[in-house]
Amino acid sequence: MMVHEEKKDMENKRREPGFEAECKGSGIMVSVCCITYNQVSYIRDALEGFVNQQTDFAYEVLIHDDASSDGTAEIIREYAERYPDRIFPILQTENQYSKGLTNVSGTFNFPRARGKYIAMCEGDDYWTDMHKLQKQVDYLEANPGCSLCFHSAKIEVQGKALTEHAMRPYKGSRMISPEEIIDKTSGYPTASLMFYREMVAELPEFYNNAPIADIPLQLLSANRGWVWYMDEPMCVYRLGGAASWTTLMKQGDYEKKQQDYAEAMTAMYHGFDAFSGGRFHNTVEHAIRRLVFLT
């Protein structure tokens, strides 16, 4: 199993001149990036969704477990032993988030990705369509101007009676402009995102300093081009899990957490504004006003 120290070796290898060529020659089309922490009740669903994908290309599953104490790591190890050529875990012995590391994917998963594309799915969410990866790759391959492809999700609210919920930001499949992505009015399911690995080969400062990872990913996509939305619920987004970001944000001094979040996200948007050369300045400023109002 890969451990924390091996991350330095991977970073050094990434700087070697032949590394990019090696990635292109790996035969891997998609790198699935998953982060987990204390999700023992959910992780099997995520792993089954990964290994049951039916594709005409090779893909890999990169998992980072942040020193779970509930048995999550043992389940990941079980699947890695069953699928040694597909599942590649990092099983931490010390929790990195508690040390202030918020950019887990960018630190441990993105640098070792070998695919042309990256697909995201956190350990408490899961995919429900065995053709999900194939559908997204087919679209991106046929439309090189598209920087990111995502889709809708069903929502499972933990601890409550099962009801019909959906994370459906748009009605009908369609193209999304960069401006719509930057100043969007509805969230995009993280487990639905697929984008070019080249976008995260060298992460800008505004991404590394962001308190969450999905929105800066979407901003990077907006800077690269337009986005395609598939109006198909091909994953499940679990809401209200004990270890989820949303639940943890509600613990302790909620008002202070919201204030800190708004300030950090405002700084992130300003960083993106500089990174993109001010091309979307008015849209960025409107997105900041919306964020501050909502928080």
Side-chain angles (χ1 to χ4, degrees):
M1 300 299 166
M2 203 170 184
V3 294
H4 177 65
E5 288 74 13
E6 293 184 52
K7 176 229 170 200
K8 293 180 180 178
D9 295 334
M10 178 60 69
E11 288 179 339
N12 292 332
K13 184 179 181 183
R14 191 183 185 89
R15 297 188 184 98
E16 294 175 3
F19 183 67
E20 287 300 317
E22 176 187 330
C23 289
K24 291 177 181 178
S26 68
I28 302 294
M29 179 64 81
V30 178
S31 297
V32 179
C33 291
C34 177
I35 57 175
T36 65
Y37 177 67
N38 282 356
Q39 292 160 340
V40 69
S41 299
Y42 313 131
I43 188 61
R44 284 190 187 275
D45 290 337
L47 291 165
E48 285 294 314
F50 300 154
V51 300
N52 287 326
Q53 288 294 302
Q54 294 186 7
T55 66
D56 61 12
F57 53 78
Y59 65 93
E60 63 182 358
V61 180
L62 310 177
I63 304 178
H64 177 276
D65 180 73
D66 205 6
S68 291
S69 58
D70 66 346
T72 299
E74 285 71 19
I75 296 174
I76 296 170
R77 186 179 289 109
E78 171 196 329
Y79 274 77
E81 290 172 353
R82 286 167 56 188
Y83 302 93
D85 297 328
R86 183 173 298 177
I87 297 179
F88 305 97
I90 294 176
L91 305 177
Q92 296 285 3
T93 55
E94 285 187 274
N95 184 269
Q96 302 301 300
Y97 186 82
S98 65
K99 295 181 177 181
L101 178 65
T102 58
N103 181 18
V104 175
S105 294
T107 304
F108 295 105
N109 280 344
F110 294 166
R112 58 193 179 116
R114 296 178 293 166
K116 181 177 181 179
Y117 304 109
I118 287 177
M120 303 291 287
C121 185
E122 296 183 355
D124 52 352
D125 299 330
Y126 62 99
W127 299 340
T128 55
D129 189 327
M130 66 180 64
H131 302 291
K132 168 201 150 62
L133 291 182
Q134 187 71 57
K135 291 177 182 178
Q136 291 185 291
V137 166
D138 286 348
Y139 187 86
L140 288 168
E141 287 289 282
N143 298 273
C146 179
S147 61
L148 178 146
C149 180
F150 73 106
H151 52 78
S152 62
K154 292 181 180 179
I155 297 177
E156 287 184 6
V157 182
Q158 302 307 295
K160 295 187 178 180
L162 184 63
T163 55
E164 285 293 324
H165 293 277
M167 195 170 185
R168 189 186 179 199
Y170 308 103
K171 293 182 179 180
S173 300
R174 70 176 182 90
M175 181 185 296
I176 313 297
S177 70
E179 288 77 12
E180 285 182 279
I181 302 165
I182 296 167
D183 190 23
K184 65 182 185 296
T185 58
S186 179
Y188 299 167
T190 302
S192 75
L193 304 178
M194 181 182 286
F195 51 90
Y196 282 85
R197 181 178 60 85
E198 66 186 39
M199 282 192 348
V200 294
E202 292 185 18
L203 292 170
E205 185 176 356
F206 82 85
Y207 182 103
N208 289 319
N209 294 335
I212 55 175
D214 55 345
I215 293 180
L217 273 177
Q218 294 157 26
L219 295 181
L220 285 173
S221 300
N223 189 58
R224 186 186 186 279
W226 49 273
V227 166
W228 184 255
Y229 168 68
M230 293 179 169
D231 196 26
E232 299 180 56
M234 294 188 281
C235 67
V236 166
Y237 169 65
R238 281 194 172 103
L239 184 63
S244 71
W245 182 85
T246 304
T247 301
L248 293 175
M249 279 289 286
K250 293 179 180 179
Q251 298 174 0
D253 191 340
Y254 179 73
E255 185 175 347
K256 177 64 164 56
K257 286 184 176 181
Q258 287 294 302
Q259 181 179 348
D260 292 345
Y261 174 77
E263 291 175 356
M265 290 296 286
T266 297
M268 182 211 67
Y269 276 111
H270 285 150
F272 170 72
D273 194 24
F275 174 80
S276 58
R279 291 190 299 134
F280 309 106
H281 179 72
N282 291 337
T283 305
V284 168
E285 289 299 316
H286 193 273
I288 292 172
R289 290 194 294 272
R290 183 195 301 278
L291 167 79
V292 171
F293 172 77
L294 291 174
T295 53

